[in-house]
Amino acid sequence: MILSDADILERLGEGDLVVDPLDDVDMQVQPASIDLRLGEEFLEFQRTNISCIHPNREEEVSKYVRETHVDEGDEFILHPGDFVLGTTKERVEIPPDLLATVEGRSSLGRLAIVIHATAGIVDPGYEGQITLELSNLGTAPVALSPGMRVSQLVFTELKNPADRPYGVERGSKYQNQRGPQASRIGADPEFAAAREAAETEAQDAPTRDPSGDDPPEEE
């Protein structure tokens, strides 16, 4: 069952569903969703000096992004073909019996702005701000202003609450995130062997002298 505006307001009043700050209830609570606003932090992707990204190598992912801060009242220009990570201004807490989905606002969609590529699900138990995957599919640059309503959350009630909700206990990577977060796919279990191999390689690498001289060769 999808929650209506009455259901959403009831759950917000009970306190198990949290959207904070919710500064204008009348404007942000829609018939079956809550509008969320754009935050001030963006992660832009660098294209120079990078041949490719290996998802299991965290250092490559971190080198690929650069953080940009835009104050409310200023603009972030999203050019055609660009892809950046943004964030919601609001922090959310989703109870174990609800699933939230992130959707774009139709008014922005008509300007060819997409607010997520694949990450449309906010799991039961998730707490934190929501990272937005912003793309411009059009032919003209579009100015995005922090504080503007940019996305909406739709809530679906589960038949039964999740037994193992998103969170620290199950090692969830993005719990309590603040601001846009780059991919942490390298922390996935299937990459454990690659991580261990990289750590072993780093430990076995020769140590450079603080003076900058290479370690002497053994005779």
Side-chain angles (χ1 to χ4, degrees), residues 22 36 90 151 153 187:
L22 188 59
L36 301 182
E90 291 81 6
S151 63
L153 275 188

Side-chain angles (χ1 to χ4, degrees), residues 108-204:
L108 282 176
R110 297 174 201 209
L111 296 175
I113 299 300
V114 176
I115 58 91
H116 77 79
T118 61
I121 291 180
V122 186
D123 282 313
Y126 174 76
E127 299 180 5
Q129 292 175 308
I130 298 172
T131 293
L132 303 173
E133 304 157 341
L134 302 166
S135 298
N136 183 345
L137 304 182
T139 57
V142 176
L144 301 178
S145 301
M148 68 183 293
R149 288 178 294 148
V150 69
S151 63
Q152 54 187 338
L153 275 188
V154 178
F155 302 96
T156 301
E157 188 174 28
L158 305 180
K159 182 178 180 181
N160 296 296
D163 285 335
R164 298 179 62 232
Y166 196 95
V168 176
E169 290 185 0
R170 62 176 300 141
S172 302
K173 300 188 295 291
Y174 304 107
Q175 186 74 322
N176 291 312
Q177 70 179 7
R178 181 173 177 81
Q181 299 295 314
S183 174
R184 297 177 183 170
I185 192 172
D188 285 357
E190 56 264 41
F191 294 128
R195 287 197 305 272
E196 291 174 1
E199 291 171 359
T200 300
E201 182 180 352
Q203 292 172 358
D204 293 342

Side-chain angles (χ1 to χ4, degrees), residues 34-53:
I34 295 181
D35 284 345
L36 301 182
R37 295 164 293 176
L38 184 63
E40 299 180 347
E41 298 85 18
F42 300 85
L43 289 182
E44 299 184 73
F45 292 83
Q46 310 304 301
R47 301 175 183 174
T48 58
N49 300 323
I50 296 177
S51 57
C52 68
I53 297 175

Side-chain angles (χ1 to χ4, degrees), residues 60-157:
E60 290 186 2
V61 175
S62 62
K63 291 178 181 177
Y64 184 45
V65 296
R66 178 185 67 189
E67 184 171 341
T68 299
H69 183 93
V70 179
D71 293 328
E72 285 200 28
D74 292 334
E75 297 175 340
F76 182 90
I77 307 301
L78 192 62
H79 291 271
D82 275 359
F83 175 81
V84 302
L85 297 180
T87 183
T88 59
K89 179 177 180 177
E90 291 81 6
R91 180 183 183 277
V92 304
E93 295 181 13
I94 310 299
D97 66 328
L98 293 183
L99 173 73
T101 52
V102 183
E103 304 290 348
R105 295 189 63 220
S106 63
S107 294
L108 282 176
R110 297 174 201 209
L111 296 175
I113 299 300
V114 176
I115 58 91
H116 77 79
T118 61
I121 291 180
V122 186
D123 282 313
Y126 174 76
E127 299 180 5
Q129 292 175 308
I130 298 172
T131 293
L132 303 173
E133 304 157 341
L134 302 166
S135 298
N136 183 345
L137 304 182
T139 57
V142 176
L144 301 178
S145 301
M148 68 183 293
R149 288 178 294 148
V150 69
S151 63
Q152 54 187 338
L153 275 188
V154 178
F155 302 96
T156 301
E157 188 174 28

